[in-house]
Coordinates of all heavy atoms in Angstrom, one line a residue:
L59 N 0.1 24.7 8.4 CA -1.0 24.0 9.1 C -0.8 24.4 10.6 O 0.1 24.0 11.2 CB -0.9 22.4 8.9 CG -1.9 21.6 9.7 CD1 -3.4 22.1 9.2 CD2 -1.7 20.1 9.4
L60 N -1.8 25.1 11.0 CA -1.8 25.7 12.4 C -2.9 24.9 13.3 O -4.1 24.9 13.0 CB -2.1 27.1 12.4 CG -1.4 28.0 11.4 CD1 -1.8 29.4 11.4 CD2 0.1 27.9 11.6
L61 N -2.3 24.1 14.3 CA -3.1 23.3 15.1 C -3.0 23.6 16.6 O -3.2 22.8 17.4 CB -2.8 21.8 14.7 CG -3.2 21.3 13.4 CD1 -2.5 19.9 13.2 CD2 -4.8 21.2 13.1
A62 N -2.4 24.7 16.9 CA -2.1 25.0 18.3 C -3.3 25.1 19.1 O -4.3 25.5 18.7 CB -1.2 26.3 18.3
N63 N -3.2 24.9 20.5 CA -4.2 25.2 21.5 C -5.4 24.4 21.2 O -6.6 24.8 21.3 CB -4.6 26.7 21.5 CG -3.4 27.6 21.7 OD1 -2.6 27.4 22.5 ND2 -3.3 28.7 20.9
N64 N -5.2 23.1 21.0 CA -6.3 22.1 21.0 C -6.0 20.9 22.0 O -5.3 21.1 22.9 CB -6.4 21.5 19.5 CG -7.0 22.5 18.6 OD1 -8.2 22.9 18.8 ND2 -6.2 23.1 17.7
W65 N -6.7 19.8 21.8 CA -6.6 18.6 22.7 C -6.2 17.4 21.9 O -6.4 16.3 22.3 CB -7.9 18.4 23.3 CG -8.5 19.5 24.2 CD1 -9.4 20.4 23.7 CD2 -8.1 19.8 25.4 NE1 -9.6 21.3 24.8 CE2 -8.8 21.0 25.8 CE3 -7.1 19.4 26.4 CZ2 -8.6 21.6 27.0 CZ3 -6.9 19.9 27.6 CH2 -7.7 21.1 28.0
I66 N -5.4 17.6 20.8 CA -4.9 16.5 19.9 C -4.0 15.6 20.8 O -3.0 16.1 21.3 CB -4.3 17.0 18.8 CG1 -5.3 17.9 17.9 CG2 -3.8 16.0 17.9 CD1 -4.8 18.7 16.7
A67 N -4.3 14.3 20.8 CA -3.4 13.4 21.6 C -2.6 12.5 20.8 O -1.7 11.8 21.4 CB -4.3 12.6 22.5
R68 N -2.8 12.5 19.5 CA -2.1 11.6 18.7 C -2.1 12.0 17.2 O -2.9 12.7 16.7 CB -2.8 10.1 18.7 CG -2.2 9.1 17.9 CD -2.8 7.8 17.9 NE -2.3 6.8 17.0 CZ -2.7 6.6 15.8 NH1 -3.6 7.4 15.3 NH2 -2.2 5.7 15.0
I69 N -0.8 11.7 16.6 CA -0.7 11.9 15.2 C -0.4 10.6 14.5 O 0.3 9.9 14.8 CB 0.7 12.7 15.0 CG1 0.7 14.1 15.8 CG2 0.9 13.1 13.6 CD1 2.0 14.9 15.7
P70 N -1.4 10.4 13.6 CA -1.3 9.2 12.7 C 0.0 8.9 12.1 O 0.6 10.0 11.6 CB -2.4 9.3 11.7 CG -3.3 10.3 12.3 CD -2.5 11.2 13.1
S71 N 0.4 7.7 12.1 CA 2.0 7.4 11.5 C 1.9 7.8 10.1 O 3.2 8.0 9.5 CB 2.3 6.0 11.7 OG 1.3 5.1 11.1
D72 N 0.8 7.9 9.4 CA 0.9 8.1 7.9 C 0.4 9.5 7.7 O 0.1 9.8 6.5 CB 0.1 7.2 7.0 CG -1.4 7.2 7.5 OD1 -1.7 7.8 8.5 OD2 -2.1 6.6 6.9
F73 N 0.5 10.5 8.6 CA 0.0 11.8 8.6 C 0.5 12.6 7.4 O -0.2 13.3 6.6 CB 0.2 12.5 9.9 CG -0.2 13.9 9.9 CD1 -1.6 14.3 9.4 CD2 0.7 14.9 10.0 CE1 -1.8 15.7 9.4 CE2 0.3 16.2 10.1 CZ -1.0 16.6 9.7
L74 N 2.0 12.5 7.2 CA 2.6 13.4 6.4 C 2.8 12.8 4.8 O 3.4 13.4 4.0 CB 4.0 13.9 6.8 CG 3.8 14.8 8.0 CD1 5.2 15.2 8.4 CD2 3.1 16.0 7.6
L75 N 2.3 11.6 4.7 CA 2.5 10.9 3.4 C 1.9 11.7 2.2 O 2.7 11.7 1.1 CB 1.8 9.5 3.4 CG 2.7 8.3 4.1 CD1 1.7 7.0 4.1 CD2 3.9 8.2 3.5
L76 N 0.8 12.3 2.4 CA 0.2 13.0 1.3 C 0.6 14.5 1.3 O 0.1 15.3 0.4 CB -1.3 12.8 1.2 CG -1.7 11.4 1.0 CD1 -3.2 11.3 1.0 CD2 -1.1 11.0 -0.4
Y77 N 1.2 15.0 2.2 CA 1.5 16.5 2.4 C 2.9 16.9 2.1 O 3.7 17.3 2.9 CB 1.0 17.0 3.8 CG -0.3 16.7 4.0 CD1 -0.8 15.6 5.0 CD2 -1.5 17.2 3.4 CE1 -2.0 15.2 5.2 CE2 -2.8 16.8 3.6 CZ -3.0 15.8 4.6 OH -4.4 15.5 4.8
S78 N 3.4 16.7 0.9 CA 4.7 16.9 0.6 C 5.1 18.5 0.5 O 6.4 18.8 0.5 CB 5.1 16.4 -0.8 OG 4.3 16.8 -1.8
D79 N 4.1 19.3 0.4 CA 4.2 20.7 0.2 C 4.3 21.3 1.7 O 4.7 22.6 1.8 CB 3.2 21.3 -0.5 CG 3.3 21.1 -2.0 OD1 4.4 20.7 -2.5 OD2 2.3 21.2 -2.8
L80 N 4.0 20.6 2.8 CA 3.9 21.2 4.1 C 5.4 21.7 4.5 O 6.2 20.9 4.6 CB 3.3 20.2 5.0 CG 3.0 20.7 6.4 CD1 1.9 21.8 6.4 CD2 2.6 19.6 7.4
V81 N 5.4 23.0 4.9 CA 6.7 23.4 5.4 C 6.5 24.0 6.8 O 7.6 24.1 7.5 CB 7.2 24.6 4.5 CG1 7.4 24.2 3.0 CG2 6.1 25.8 4.5
Y82 N 5.4 24.2 7.3 CA 5.2 24.9 8.6 C 4.1 24.1 9.3 O 2.9 24.0 8.9 CB 4.8 26.4 8.4 CG 4.8 27.2 9.7 CD1 5.8 28.0 10.0 CD2 3.8 27.2 10.6 CE1 5.7 28.8 11.2 CE2 3.7 27.9 11.9 CZ 4.7 28.8 12.0 OH 4.7 29.5 13.2
L83 N 4.4 23.6 10.5 CA 3.6 22.8 11.3 C 3.6 23.1 12.8 O 4.6 23.0 13.4 CB 3.8 21.2 11.2 CG 2.9 20.3 11.9 CD1 1.3 20.5 11.6 CD2 3.3 18.9 11.7
D84 N 2.5 23.7 13.2 CA 2.4 24.3 14.7 C 1.4 23.3 15.5 O 0.2 23.4 15.2 CB 1.9 25.7 14.7 CG 2.0 26.3 16.0 OD1 2.3 25.6 16.9 OD2 1.7 27.5 16.1
L85 N 2.0 22.6 16.4 CA 1.2 21.6 17.3 C 1.4 22.0 18.7 O 1.3 21.2 19.5 CB 1.6 20.2 17.1 CG 1.0 19.5 15.7 CD1 1.9 18.3 15.4 CD2 -0.5 19.1 16.1
R86 N 1.6 23.3 19.0 CA 1.7 23.7 20.4 C 0.6 23.5 21.2 O -0.6 23.6 20.8 CB 2.1 25.2 20.4 CG 3.5 25.6 20.0 CD 3.8 27.2 20.0 NE 2.9 27.7 19.0 CZ 2.0 28.7 19.2 NH1 2.0 29.3 20.4 NH2 1.3 29.2 18.3
N87 N 0.7 23.4 22.5 CA -0.3 23.3 23.5 C -1.4 22.3 23.2 O -2.6 22.8 22.9 CB -1.0 24.7 23.7 CG -1.8 24.8 24.9 OD1 -1.6 24.0 25.9 ND2 -2.6 25.7 25.0
N88 N -1.0 21.1 22.9 CA -2.0 20.0 22.7 C -1.8 19.0 23.9 O -1.2 19.2 24.8 CB -1.8 19.4 21.4 CG -2.6 20.2 20.3 OD1 -3.8 20.1 20.2 ND2 -1.9 21.1 19.5
S89 N -2.2 17.7 23.5 CA -2.1 16.6 24.6 C -1.2 15.5 24.2 O -1.5 14.3 24.4 CB -3.5 16.2 24.9 OG -4.3 17.2 25.3
L90 N -0.2 15.7 23.2 CA 0.5 14.6 22.7 C 1.4 14.0 23.9 O 2.1 14.8 24.6 CB 1.5 15.2 21.6 CG 0.8 15.8 20.3 CD1 1.9 16.4 19.4 CD2 0.0 14.6 19.7
T91 N 1.5 12.7 23.9 CA 2.2 12.1 24.9 C 3.4 11.5 24.3 O 4.4 11.0 25.0 CB 1.4 11.0 25.7 OG1 0.9 10.2 24.8 CG2 0.3 11.8 26.5
R92 N 3.4 11.0 23.0 CA 4.5 10.2 22.4 C 4.6 10.5 21.1 O 3.6 10.9 20.3 CB 4.3 8.8 22.6 CG 3.0 8.1 22.2 CD 3.0 6.7 22.4 NE 4.1 6.0 21.7 CZ 4.3 4.6 21.8 NH1 3.4 3.9 22.4 NH2 5.3 4.1 21.2
L93 N 5.8 10.2 20.4 CA 5.9 10.3 19.0 C 6.4 9.1 18.4 O 7.3 8.4 18.8 CB 7.1 11.4 18.7 CG 6.8 12.9 19.1 CD1 8.2 13.7 18.9 CD2 5.6 13.4 18.4
E94 N 5.6 8.5 17.4 CA 6.0 7.3 16.7 C 7.1 7.7 15.9 O 7.2 8.7 15.1 CB 4.8 6.8 15.9 CG 3.7 6.3 16.8 CD 4.0 5.2 17.7 OE1 5.0 4.5 17.4 OE2 3.2 5.0 18.6
P95 N 8.3 6.8 15.8 CA 9.5 7.1 14.9 C 9.0 7.3 13.5 O 8.3 6.4 12.9 CB 10.3 5.8 15.1 CG 9.9 5.3 16.4 CD 8.4 5.7 16.7
G96 N 9.4 8.4 12.8 CA 9.2 8.7 11.5 C 7.8 9.2 11.2 O 7.5 9.5 10.0
T97 N 7.0 9.5 12.1 CA 5.7 10.0 11.9 C 5.7 11.4 11.4 O 5.0 11.8 10.5 CB 5.0 10.2 13.3 OG1 4.8 8.9 13.8 CG2 3.6 10.8 13.1
L98 N 6.8 12.2 11.6 CA 6.9 13.6 11.2 C 7.9 13.7 10.1 O 8.7 14.8 10.0 CB 7.2 14.5 12.4 CG 6.1 14.5 13.5 CD1 6.5 15.3 14.7 CD2 4.8 15.2 12.9
S99 N 8.1 12.7 9.4 CA 9.0 12.7 8.2 C 8.6 11.8 7.2 O 8.1 10.7 7.3 CB 10.4 12.3 8.8 OG 11.4 12.2 7.6
T100 N 8.8 12.2 5.9 CA 8.6 11.3 4.8 C 9.8 11.5 3.8 O 10.6 12.6 3.9 CB 7.3 11.7 4.0 OG1 7.5 12.9 3.4 CG2 6.1 11.8 5.0
P101 N 9.9 10.5 2.9 CA 11.0 10.8 1.8 C 10.9 12.0 1.1 O 12.0 12.6 0.5 CB 10.9 9.6 0.9 CG 10.1 8.6 1.7 CD 9.2 9.4 2.7
F102 N 9.7 12.7 1.0 CA 9.5 13.9 0.2 C 9.3 15.1 1.0 O 8.8 16.1 0.6 CB 8.3 13.7 -0.8 CG 8.5 12.4 -1.7 CD1 7.8 11.2 -1.3 CD2 9.2 12.4 -2.8 CE1 7.9 10.2 -2.2 CE2 9.3 11.3 -3.5 CZ 8.6 10.2 -3.1
S103 N 9.5 14.9 2.4 CA 9.3 16.0 3.3 C 10.0 17.3 2.9 O 11.2 17.3 2.7 CB 9.6 15.6 4.7 OG 9.3 16.6 5.6
R104 N 9.3 18.4 3.1 CA 9.8 19.7 2.9 C 9.7 20.5 4.2 O 9.8 21.8 4.2 CB 9.2 20.5 1.8 CG 9.4 19.9 0.4 CD 8.7 20.7 -0.7 NE 8.8 20.0 -2.0 CZ 8.1 20.4 -3.0 NH1 7.4 21.5 -3.1 NH2 8.3 19.8 -4.2
L105 N 9.3 19.9 5.3 CA 9.0 20.6 6.6 C 10.3 21.3 7.0 O 11.3 20.8 7.2 CB 8.6 19.5 7.5 CG 7.9 20.0 8.8 CD1 6.6 20.6 8.4 CD2 7.7 18.9 9.8
V106 N 10.0 22.6 7.3 CA 11.1 23.5 7.7 C 10.9 23.9 9.2 O 11.9 24.0 10.0 CB 11.0 24.8 6.8 CG1 12.1 25.9 7.5 CG2 11.5 24.5 5.5
F107 N 9.7 24.1 9.7 CA 9.4 24.6 10.9 C 8.5 23.5 11.6 O 7.4 23.1 11.1 CB 8.7 25.9 11.0 CG 8.3 26.5 12.4 CD1 9.1 27.2 13.0 CD2 7.0 26.2 12.8 CE1 8.7 27.7 14.3 CE2 6.6 26.6 14.1 CZ 7.5 27.4 14.8
L108 N 8.8 23.1 12.8 CA 7.9 22.2 13.6 C 8.0 22.6 15.1 O 9.1 22.6 15.7 CB 8.5 20.6 13.4 CG 7.7 19.7 14.3 CD1 6.2 19.6 13.9 CD2 8.4 18.3 14.1
D109 N 6.8 22.8 15.7 CA 6.7 23.3 17.0 C 5.8 22.2 17.7 O 4.6 22.1 17.5 CB 6.1 24.5 17.2 CG 6.3 25.2 18.4 OD1 6.4 24.5 19.5 OD2 6.2 26.5 18.7
L110 N 6.4 21.5 18.7 CA 5.8 20.5 19.5 C 5.7 20.9 21.0 O 5.7 20.1 21.9 CB 6.4 19.1 19.4 CG 6.3 18.5 17.9 CD1 7.2 17.3 17.9 CD2 4.8 18.1 17.7

Side-chain angles (χ1 to χ4, degrees):
L59 181 56
L60 311 178
L61 297 167
N63 305 317
N64 285 295
W65 300 99
I66 299 171
R68 178 178 175 272
I69 304 174
S71 59
D72 59 349
F73 172 59
L74 289 183
L75 281 177
L76 296 177
Y77 303 110
S78 61
D79 290 337
L80 189 64
V81 297
Y82 189 104
L83 178 57
D84 186 357
L85 279 161
R86 284 174 300 132
N87 195 25
N88 277 282
S89 302
L90 298 173
T91 58
R92 60 178 300 181
L93 296 175
E94 297 292 339
T97 297
L98 297 170
S99 175
T100 69
F102 307 99
S103 176
R104 298 179 185 175
L105 199 62
V106 171
F107 176 93
L108 175 60
D109 196 336
L110 297 170

